[in-house]
Amino acid sequence: MKLETNQLLRFTTAGSVDDGKSTLIGRLLYDSKSIFEDQLAAVETTSKRKGHEGVDLALFTDGLKDEREQGITIDVAYRYFTTPKRKFIIADTPGHIQYTRNMVTGASTANAALILIDARHGVIEQTKRHAFIASLLQIPHVIVCINKMDLVDFSEKVYDEIVSQFESFASKLYVKDIQFLPISALLGDNVVNRSENTPWYKGAPLLYTLETLHISSDLNKIDARFPVQTVLRPQSEEFLDYRGYAGRVASGIFRPGDEVAVLPSGFTSTIKTIDTLEGELEEAYAPMSVSITLEDDIDISRGDMIVKKNNQPEPVQEFDAMLCWLNDAPARPRAKYTILHTSNEQRAMIKEVIYKIDINTYAREEEDKSLEMNAIARVKIRTTRPLMMDEYRDNRVTGSFVLIDDATHETVAAGMIM
Amino acid sequence: MGKYYLNYLDELESEAIFILREVWAQFENPVILFSGGKDSILVTHLAKKAFYPSKIPFPLMHVDTGHNFPETIKFRDDLVQSLGVKLLVGSVQESIDQGRVAEERGKNATRNALQITTLLDAIEENKVDCAIGGGRRDEEKARAKERFFSHRDDFGQWDPKNQRPELWNLLNGKHFEGEHFRAFPISNWTEMDVWNYILRENIQIPSLYFAHEREVVWRQDSWIPVSEFLKLEEGEKVETKKIRFRTLGDITITGGIESDADTLEKIAAEVSAMKQTERGNRSDDKRSETAMEDRKRQGYF
């Protein structure tokens, strides 16, 4: 593995137990030699105890006690594997309807989504749900794996029908890049190696597809945004007057000499240095963590944002957003919440629910406006002070937020700014 | 135009720095849980980067079981001095002397589980509201579901079914008095990533990780070091072997592997060819299939 150039790819998987999702992940881990002997031995023992023939690949991904007892996955679990080309992080989320919240969580940081379809059943409600979430969370790449091809005799006709079913409803969604693959997770066809059973399929196997997805263009390089996390003031002899603004570049590129504005105050200055422990940098881009110093002494604190003077986000106090409700307790009408947006924290109120979306049919519901667990709705939000925001479609970092209930301190909703 | 993307180690580093700065910004009184093992050394190294040119703005906290490798304690003290940070120590021996916990009995008795009480007491005494740990999701199945910011109730307990959703990079550290958080900045690193990074950054680690000659006993499929705490059982014999440790815990439970890897390069090469997980040599994880999960629920690291 080449340390200097190899990238990290984060992908989510969605699907229920029956789609063979856990088996597929087990297959990727197993075939990429990411399973250790002691893990294999433990799974072999459990497989035998449960009366399975051979090794049950799905057991590699089962995590906690409850789900091993129930045989289902209950939360987002993270898995890791590495090939000579890339490091991968899988956010493995369950597919049941009650777990929209987990799918949204797993999708929020993903570069790619893997959607599984059982070749015997074709597109079902759940498929539409997963595709909708991938679109809502703006996952740049969607890979649709039509699984269990072995059970339909590796039929090209079955495969083509499912592809066209998917394309017909996906045209309503906003997905930049969709690819389709015929696979058998259980037998390994087109997972790591090209299958001899699908001579009609001219594309690459899944692992190669994941290794070569072009992801470096997915980050926004245009709109320079730097949310300040904290201010570094060493007050040591060597750095007596040092004031560094610590944060992670959300998007765009910063260089010393750039004219910048500090929001919300609007004061302008010039970048003096971009610092790290290793020394000063000539440029910083997403997602680098750095410390920025400015030529002028301006009062800056956590929650402020440094941006390029000639490219500033809108300060907005009232805005529309797509909201996913994540909590058992439904939203209270006109209730106030704490809103976290980049490093900023304000008070917010859901002024209005404009419509809810049925994620199975994509139909808008304008009568029932209750926000209960797993509801997805377009809402109008008002904050006590302006937030510096971009549309989620343009910027996943400055376009996203969460709501926190002050009574419980729980994260109750995730929002995407429209 | 240059390349405007990070390689995976730089991306993991940047993510960890982001999380450490969030901890500092959101909590009053955070500490780094320092065991002397490579993961907590890595977290400390990342904290140095996160706050440069300031010093690391919070103390290191060590839960001392009394069953230490002497090398670990010396390493800890040297590091604390060179960083100029404060060291807090919670002592399991004191917890035993005060009657807070009772020493385990029986053949495989250890002080591993006793640490939970000492840790929670130290957190309460020092009014710690966030304990930063070197836990990684690839280590053990119960850890695969940890959040970066992991909430603990006022008994210090973890409820895996009631975790806060963590979306994008928005970390919610809000808590009530008496509750605390655990933060895991290197959640997304694997053992291989840790070694590759230690090698790249040339981070100092205790000599125990390098191959050396040591008196050991073969027990539970690994080489347990001879120490004042080790009671020989029938049929066991002391041998001298060239070994090294993949993880460092108590001297009573940390098994070594036979190895000639005496440089970071050789260790990284050895780890990449390993066929067993690193915790495969930790007898604390062998007690049952859900040993780690059960301890974590109670407040373990």
PDB file of all heavy atoms in Angstrom, chain A residues 316-343:
ATOM      1  N   VAL A 316     -28.110  33.980   7.110  1.00  0.00           N
ATOM      2  CA  VAL A 316     -29.551  33.742   7.034  1.00  0.00           C
ATOM      3  C   VAL A 316     -30.115  33.452   8.421  1.00  0.00           C
ATOM      4  O   VAL A 316     -29.490  32.756   9.217  1.00  0.00           O
ATOM      5  CB  VAL A 316     -29.895  32.521   6.153  1.00  0.00           C
ATOM      6  CG1 VAL A 316     -31.274  32.662   5.557  1.00  0.00           C
ATOM      7  CG2 VAL A 316     -28.876  32.327   5.064  1.00  0.00           C
ATOM      8  N   GLN A 317     -31.288  33.963   8.669  1.00  0.00           N
ATOM      9  CA  GLN A 317     -31.934  33.734   9.948  1.00  0.00           C
ATOM     10  C   GLN A 317     -33.185  32.885   9.798  1.00  0.00           C
ATOM     11  O   GLN A 317     -33.685  32.318  10.751  1.00  0.00           O
ATOM     12  CB  GLN A 317     -32.277  35.074  10.588  1.00  0.00           C
ATOM     13  CG  GLN A 317     -32.117  35.040  12.082  1.00  0.00           C
ATOM     14  CD  GLN A 317     -32.131  36.408  12.684  1.00  0.00           C
ATOM     15  OE1 GLN A 317     -31.861  37.405  12.003  1.00  0.00           O
ATOM     16  NE2 GLN A 317     -32.439  36.491  13.961  1.00  0.00           N
ATOM     17  N   GLU A 318     -33.693  32.836   8.569  1.00  0.00           N
ATOM     18  CA  GLU A 318     -34.857  31.998   8.312  1.00  0.00           C
ATOM     19  C   GLU A 318     -34.618  31.258   7.012  1.00  0.00           C
ATOM     20  O   GLU A 318     -34.231  31.872   6.020  1.00  0.00           O
ATOM     21  CB  GLU A 318     -36.121  32.858   8.210  1.00  0.00           C
ATOM     22  CG  GLU A 318     -37.364  32.024   8.331  1.00  0.00           C
ATOM     23  CD  GLU A 318     -38.614  32.880   8.517  1.00  0.00           C
ATOM     24  OE1 GLU A 318     -38.701  33.582   9.534  1.00  0.00           O
ATOM     25  OE2 GLU A 318     -39.466  32.855   7.618  1.00  0.00           O
ATOM     26  N   PHE A 319     -34.787  29.940   7.050  1.00  0.00           N
ATOM     27  CA  PHE A 319     -34.439  29.165   5.859  1.00  0.00           C
ATOM     28  C   PHE A 319     -35.247  27.886   5.790  1.00  0.00           C
ATOM     29  O   PHE A 319     -35.799  27.433   6.791  1.00  0.00           O
ATOM     30  CB  PHE A 319     -32.935  28.846   5.869  1.00  0.00           C
ATOM     31  CG  PHE A 319     -32.482  28.121   7.114  1.00  0.00           C
ATOM     32  CD1 PHE A 319     -32.454  26.732   7.145  1.00  0.00           C
ATOM     33  CD2 PHE A 319     -32.093  28.816   8.258  1.00  0.00           C
ATOM     34  CE1 PHE A 319     -32.045  26.059   8.291  1.00  0.00           C
ATOM     35  CE2 PHE A 319     -31.683  28.143   9.399  1.00  0.00           C
ATOM     36  CZ  PHE A 319     -31.658  26.766   9.417  1.00  0.00           C
ATOM     37  N   ASP A 320     -35.294  27.308   4.579  1.00  0.00           N
ATOM     38  CA  ASP A 320     -35.941  26.015   4.374  1.00  0.00           C
ATOM     39  C   ASP A 320     -34.901  24.901   4.483  1.00  0.00           C
ATOM     40  O   ASP A 320     -33.759  25.087   4.075  1.00  0.00           O
ATOM     41  CB  ASP A 320     -36.570  25.943   2.981  1.00  0.00           C
ATOM     42  CG  ASP A 320     -37.936  26.602   2.951  1.00  0.00           C
ATOM     43  OD1 ASP A 320     -38.235  27.376   3.893  1.00  0.00           O
ATOM     44  OD2 ASP A 320     -38.693  26.356   1.992  1.00  0.00           O
ATOM     45  N   ALA A 321     -35.321  23.760   5.008  1.00  0.00           N
ATOM     46  CA  ALA A 321     -34.403  22.625   5.113  1.00  0.00           C
ATOM     47  C   ALA A 321     -35.186  21.336   4.996  1.00  0.00           C
ATOM     48  O   ALA A 321     -36.376  21.285   5.290  1.00  0.00           O
ATOM     49  CB  ALA A 321     -33.665  22.666   6.442  1.00  0.00           C
ATOM     50  N   MET A 322     -34.501  20.270   4.572  1.00  0.00           N
ATOM     51  CA  MET A 322     -35.055  18.926   4.683  1.00  0.00           C
ATOM     52  C   MET A 322     -34.592  18.411   6.041  1.00  0.00           C
ATOM     53  O   MET A 322     -33.401  18.460   6.358  1.00  0.00           O
ATOM     54  CB  MET A 322     -34.533  18.019   3.572  1.00  0.00           C
ATOM     55  CG  MET A 322     -35.014  18.364   2.178  1.00  0.00           C
ATOM     56  SD  MET A 322     -36.807  18.402   1.988  1.00  0.00           S
ATOM     57  CE  MET A 322     -37.192  16.664   2.196  1.00  0.00           C
ATOM     58  N   LEU A 323     -35.568  17.941   6.820  1.00  0.00           N
ATOM     59  CA  LEU A 323     -35.256  17.542   8.187  1.00  0.00           C
ATOM     60  C   LEU A 323     -35.581  16.064   8.370  1.00  0.00           C
ATOM     61  O   LEU A 323     -36.642  15.609   7.933  1.00  0.00           O
ATOM     62  CB  LEU A 323     -36.102  18.385   9.144  1.00  0.00           C
ATOM     63  CG  LEU A 323     -35.659  18.465  10.602  1.00  0.00           C
ATOM     64  CD1 LEU A 323     -34.365  19.272  10.705  1.00  0.00           C
ATOM     65  CD2 LEU A 323     -36.735  19.146  11.441  1.00  0.00           C
ATOM     66  N   CYS A 324     -34.668  15.330   8.987  1.00  0.00           N
ATOM     67  CA  CYS A 324     -34.967  13.943   9.327  1.00  0.00           C
ATOM     68  C   CYS A 324     -35.064  13.844  10.839  1.00  0.00           C
ATOM     69  O   CYS A 324     -34.128  14.217  11.555  1.00  0.00           O
ATOM     70  CB  CYS A 324     -33.869  13.021   8.795  1.00  0.00           C
ATOM     71  SG  CYS A 324     -34.160  11.307   9.251  1.00  0.00           S
ATOM     72  N   TRP A 325     -36.216  13.373  11.329  1.00  0.00           N
ATOM     73  CA  TRP A 325     -36.416  13.313  12.777  1.00  0.00           C
ATOM     74  C   TRP A 325     -35.810  12.022  13.321  1.00  0.00           C
ATOM     75  O   TRP A 325     -36.082  10.935  12.837  1.00  0.00           O
ATOM     76  CB  TRP A 325     -37.903  13.419  13.138  1.00  0.00           C
ATOM     77  CG  TRP A 325     -38.053  13.828  14.571  1.00  0.00           C
ATOM     78  CD1 TRP A 325     -38.384  13.043  15.609  1.00  0.00           C
ATOM     79  CD2 TRP A 325     -37.828  15.141  15.100  1.00  0.00           C
ATOM     80  NE1 TRP A 325     -38.363  13.784  16.770  1.00  0.00           N
ATOM     81  CE2 TRP A 325     -38.032  15.066  16.495  1.00  0.00           C
ATOM     82  CE3 TRP A 325     -37.453  16.374  14.540  1.00  0.00           C
ATOM     83  CZ2 TRP A 325     -37.881  16.176  17.329  1.00  0.00           C
ATOM     84  CZ3 TRP A 325     -37.309  17.478  15.367  1.00  0.00           C
ATOM     85  CH2 TRP A 325     -37.523  17.373  16.746  1.00  0.00           C
ATOM     86  N   LEU A 326     -34.985  12.128  14.375  1.00  0.00           N
ATOM     87  CA  LEU A 326     -34.180  10.987  14.821  1.00  0.00           C
ATOM     88  C   LEU A 326     -34.555  10.470  16.204  1.00  0.00           C
ATOM     89  O   LEU A 326     -33.951   9.533  16.704  1.00  0.00           O
ATOM     90  CB  LEU A 326     -32.691  11.394  14.872  1.00  0.00           C
ATOM     91  CG  LEU A 326     -32.097  12.049  13.629  1.00  0.00           C
ATOM     92  CD1 LEU A 326     -30.715  12.617  13.941  1.00  0.00           C
ATOM     93  CD2 LEU A 326     -31.999  11.047  12.495  1.00  0.00           C
ATOM     94  N   ASN A 327     -35.532  11.109  16.824  1.00  0.00           N
ATOM     95  CA  ASN A 327     -35.780  10.801  18.238  1.00  0.00           C
ATOM     96  C   ASN A 327     -37.143  10.163  18.476  1.00  0.00           C
ATOM     97  O   ASN A 327     -38.094  10.411  17.734  1.00  0.00           O
ATOM     98  CB  ASN A 327     -35.655  12.097  19.039  1.00  0.00           C
ATOM     99  CG  ASN A 327     -35.364  11.825  20.507  1.00  0.00           C
ATOM    100  OD1 ASN A 327     -36.248  11.881  21.341  1.00  0.00           O
ATOM    101  ND2 ASN A 327     -34.117  11.491  20.815  1.00  0.00           N
ATOM    102  N   ASP A 328     -37.219   9.337  19.545  1.00  0.00           N
ATOM    103  CA  ASP A 328     -38.484   8.700  19.921  1.00  0.00           C
ATOM    104  C   ASP A 328     -39.565   9.716  20.223  1.00  0.00           C
ATOM    105  O   ASP A 328     -40.733   9.515  19.916  1.00  0.00           O
ATOM    106  CB  ASP A 328     -38.277   7.823  21.160  1.00  0.00           C
ATOM    107  CG  ASP A 328     -37.627   6.501  20.808  1.00  0.00           C
ATOM    108  OD1 ASP A 328     -37.919   6.001  19.702  1.00  0.00           O
ATOM    109  OD2 ASP A 328     -36.824   5.994  21.601  1.00  0.00           O
ATOM    110  N   ALA A 329     -39.174  10.820  20.862  1.00  0.00           N
ATOM    111  CA  ALA A 329     -40.147  11.859  21.190  1.00  0.00           C
ATOM    112  C   ALA A 329     -40.363  12.737  19.965  1.00  0.00           C
ATOM    113  O   ALA A 329     -39.410  13.260  19.408  1.00  0.00           O
ATOM    114  CB  ALA A 329     -39.632  12.697  22.353  1.00  0.00           C
ATOM    115  N   PRO A 330     -41.612  12.876  19.503  1.00  0.00           N
ATOM    116  CA  PRO A 330     -41.861  13.688  18.312  1.00  0.00           C
ATOM    117  C   PRO A 330     -41.577  15.172  18.566  1.00  0.00           C
ATOM    118  O   PRO A 330     -41.489  15.613  19.718  1.00  0.00           O
ATOM    119  CB  PRO A 330     -43.356  13.472  18.029  1.00  0.00           C
ATOM    120  CG  PRO A 330     -43.896  12.629  19.096  1.00  0.00           C
ATOM    121  CD  PRO A 330     -42.824  12.304  20.079  1.00  0.00           C
ATOM    122  N   ALA A 331     -41.454  15.925  17.475  1.00  0.00           N
ATOM    123  CA  ALA A 331     -41.215  17.367  17.589  1.00  0.00           C
ATOM    124  C   ALA A 331     -42.428  18.035  18.204  1.00  0.00           C
ATOM    125  O   ALA A 331     -43.559  17.681  17.893  1.00  0.00           O
ATOM    126  CB  ALA A 331     -40.935  17.953  16.217  1.00  0.00           C
ATOM    127  N   ARG A 332     -42.182  18.992  19.091  1.00  0.00           N
ATOM    128  CA  ARG A 332     -43.283  19.758  19.663  1.00  0.00           C
ATOM    129  C   ARG A 332     -43.503  20.987  18.796  1.00  0.00           C
ATOM    130  O   ARG A 332     -42.540  21.634  18.387  1.00  0.00           O
ATOM    131  CB  ARG A 332     -42.948  20.161  21.099  1.00  0.00           C
ATOM    132  CG  ARG A 332     -42.717  18.961  22.021  1.00  0.00           C
ATOM    133  CD  ARG A 332     -42.382  19.388  23.438  1.00  0.00           C
ATOM    134  NE  ARG A 332     -41.181  20.207  23.513  1.00  0.00           N
ATOM    135  CZ  ARG A 332     -39.947  19.724  23.577  1.00  0.00           C
ATOM    136  NH1 ARG A 332     -39.748  18.415  23.557  1.00  0.00           N
ATOM    137  NH2 ARG A 332     -38.902  20.522  23.644  1.00  0.00           N
ATOM    138  N   PRO A 333     -44.754  21.315  18.504  1.00  0.00           N
ATOM    139  CA  PRO A 333     -45.019  22.458  17.625  1.00  0.00           C
ATOM    140  C   PRO A 333     -44.382  23.737  18.160  1.00  0.00           C
ATOM    141  O   PRO A 333     -44.495  24.040  19.344  1.00  0.00           O
ATOM    142  CB  PRO A 333     -46.546  22.560  17.631  1.00  0.00           C
ATOM    143  CG  PRO A 333     -47.036  21.251  18.127  1.00  0.00           C
ATOM    144  CD  PRO A 333     -45.968  20.671  18.983  1.00  0.00           C
ATOM    145  N   ARG A 334     -43.703  24.439  17.325  1.00  0.00           N
ATOM    146  CA  ARG A 334     -43.055  25.705  17.630  1.00  0.00           C
ATOM    147  C   ARG A 334     -42.078  25.627  18.807  1.00  0.00           C
ATOM    148  O   ARG A 334     -41.741  26.638  19.409  1.00  0.00           O
ATOM    149  CB  ARG A 334     -44.103  26.799  17.882  1.00  0.00           C
ATOM    150  CG  ARG A 334     -44.941  27.076  16.629  1.00  0.00           C
ATOM    151  CD  ARG A 334     -45.874  28.257  16.813  1.00  0.00           C
ATOM    152  NE  ARG A 334     -45.196  29.551  16.847  1.00  0.00           N
ATOM    153  CZ  ARG A 334     -44.809  30.217  15.765  1.00  0.00           C
ATOM    154  NH1 ARG A 334     -44.992  29.713  14.572  1.00  0.00           N
ATOM    155  NH2 ARG A 334     -44.227  31.394  15.876  1.00  0.00           N
ATOM    156  N   ALA A 335     -41.623  24.417  19.106  1.00  0.00           N
ATOM    157  CA  ALA A 335     -40.669  24.267  20.204  1.00  0.00           C
ATOM    158  C   ALA A 335     -39.307  24.821  19.796  1.00  0.00           C
ATOM    159  O   ALA A 335     -38.991  24.915  18.618  1.00  0.00           O
ATOM    160  CB  ALA A 335     -40.526  22.796  20.572  1.00  0.00           C
ATOM    161  N   LYS A 336     -38.516  25.193  20.795  1.00  0.00           N
ATOM    162  CA  LYS A 336     -37.182  25.723  20.518  1.00  0.00           C
ATOM    163  C   LYS A 336     -36.136  24.651  20.786  1.00  0.00           C
ATOM    164  O   LYS A 336     -36.248  23.859  21.711  1.00  0.00           O
ATOM    165  CB  LYS A 336     -36.914  26.941  21.389  1.00  0.00           C
ATOM    166  CG  LYS A 336     -37.813  28.102  21.028  1.00  0.00           C
ATOM    167  CD  LYS A 336     -37.560  29.308  21.893  1.00  0.00           C
ATOM    168  CE  LYS A 336     -38.550  30.401  21.582  1.00  0.00           C
ATOM    169  NZ  LYS A 336     -39.949  30.004  21.930  1.00  0.00           N
ATOM    170  N   TYR A 337     -35.135  24.621  19.923  1.00  0.00           N
ATOM    171  CA  TYR A 337     -34.047  23.655  20.045  1.00  0.00           C
ATOM    172  C   TYR A 337     -32.711  24.384  19.930  1.00  0.00           C
ATOM    173  O   TYR A 337     -32.659  25.524  19.483  1.00  0.00           O
ATOM    174  CB  TYR A 337     -34.151  22.605  18.935  1.00  0.00           C
ATOM    175  CG  TYR A 337     -35.394  21.753  19.029  1.00  0.00           C
ATOM    176  CD1 TYR A 337     -36.548  22.088  18.322  1.00  0.00           C
ATOM    177  CD2 TYR A 337     -35.417  20.633  19.851  1.00  0.00           C
ATOM    178  CE1 TYR A 337     -37.707  21.325  18.439  1.00  0.00           C
ATOM    179  CE2 TYR A 337     -36.562  19.860  19.962  1.00  0.00           C
ATOM    180  CZ  TYR A 337     -37.704  20.206  19.256  1.00  0.00           C
ATOM    181  OH  TYR A 337     -38.831  19.453  19.370  1.00  0.00           O
ATOM    182  N   THR A 338     -31.656  23.693  20.331  1.00  0.00           N
ATOM    183  CA  THR A 338     -30.320  24.205  20.040  1.00  0.00           C
ATOM    184  C   THR A 338     -29.939  23.687  18.665  1.00  0.00           C
ATOM    185  O   THR A 338     -30.150  22.515  18.357  1.00  0.00           O
ATOM    186  CB  THR A 338     -29.310  23.700  21.093  1.00  0.00           C
ATOM    187  OG1 THR A 338     -29.655  24.290  22.344  1.00  0.00           O
ATOM    188  CG2 THR A 338     -27.892  24.096  20.724  1.00  0.00           C
ATOM    189  N   ILE A 339     -29.416  24.589  17.830  1.00  0.00           N
ATOM    190  CA  ILE A 339     -28.976  24.150  16.500  1.00  0.00           C
ATOM    191  C   ILE A 339     -27.453  24.173  16.457  1.00  0.00           C
ATOM    192  O   ILE A 339     -26.816  25.131  16.884  1.00  0.00           O
ATOM    193  CB  ILE A 339     -29.604  25.032  15.384  1.00  0.00           C
ATOM    194  CG1 ILE A 339     -29.187  24.535  13.993  1.00  0.00           C
ATOM    195  CG2 ILE A 339     -29.242  26.503  15.544  1.00  0.00           C
ATOM    196  CD1 ILE A 339     -29.978  25.169  12.846  1.00  0.00           C
ATOM    197  N   LEU A 340     -26.851  23.055  16.022  1.00  0.00           N
ATOM    198  CA  LEU A 340     -25.405  23.001  15.782  1.00  0.00           C
ATOM    199  C   LEU A 340     -25.191  23.092  14.280  1.00  0.00           C
ATOM    200  O   LEU A 340     -25.697  22.267  13.515  1.00  0.00           O
ATOM    201  CB  LEU A 340     -24.789  21.684  16.256  1.00  0.00           C
ATOM    202  CG  LEU A 340     -24.711  21.341  17.729  1.00  0.00           C
ATOM    203  CD1 LEU A 340     -23.824  20.100  17.912  1.00  0.00           C
ATOM    204  CD2 LEU A 340     -24.162  22.489  18.549  1.00  0.00           C
ATOM    205  N   HIS A 341     -24.437  24.113  13.874  1.00  0.00           N
ATOM    206  CA  HIS A 341     -24.129  24.296  12.458  1.00  0.00           C
ATOM    207  C   HIS A 341     -22.650  24.655  12.370  1.00  0.00           C
ATOM    208  O   HIS A 341     -22.228  25.635  12.971  1.00  0.00           O
ATOM    209  CB  HIS A 341     -25.002  25.416  11.879  1.00  0.00           C
ATOM    210  CG  HIS A 341     -24.598  25.826  10.495  1.00  0.00           C
ATOM    211  ND1 HIS A 341     -23.922  26.990  10.240  1.00  0.00           N
ATOM    212  CD2 HIS A 341     -24.768  25.211   9.299  1.00  0.00           C
ATOM    213  CE1 HIS A 341     -23.688  27.075   8.933  1.00  0.00           C
ATOM    214  NE2 HIS A 341     -24.193  26.020   8.345  1.00  0.00           N
ATOM    215  N   THR A 342     -21.847  23.889  11.700  1.00  0.00           N
ATOM    216  CA  THR A 342     -20.374  23.944  11.757  1.00  0.00           C
ATOM    217  C   THR A 342     -19.960  24.057  13.232  1.00  0.00           C
ATOM    218  O   THR A 342     -20.428  23.268  14.040  1.00  0.00           O
ATOM    219  CB  THR A 342     -19.775  25.081  10.890  1.00  0.00           C
ATOM    220  OG1 THR A 342     -20.132  26.349  11.440  1.00  0.00           O
ATOM    221  CG2 THR A 342     -20.259  24.970   9.455  1.00  0.00           C
ATOM    222  N   SER A 343     -19.133  25.056  13.594  1.00  0.00           N
ATOM    223  CA  SER A 343     -18.756  25.157  15.007  1.00  0.00           C
ATOM    224  C   SER A 343     -19.651  26.146  15.747  1.00  0.00           C
ATOM    225  O   SER A 343     -19.367  26.546  16.866  1.00  0.00           O
ATOM    226  CB  SER A 343     -17.283  25.565  15.124  1.00  0.00           C
ATOM    227  OG  SER A 343     -17.064  26.775  14.430  1.00  0.00           O
TER     228      SER A 343
END
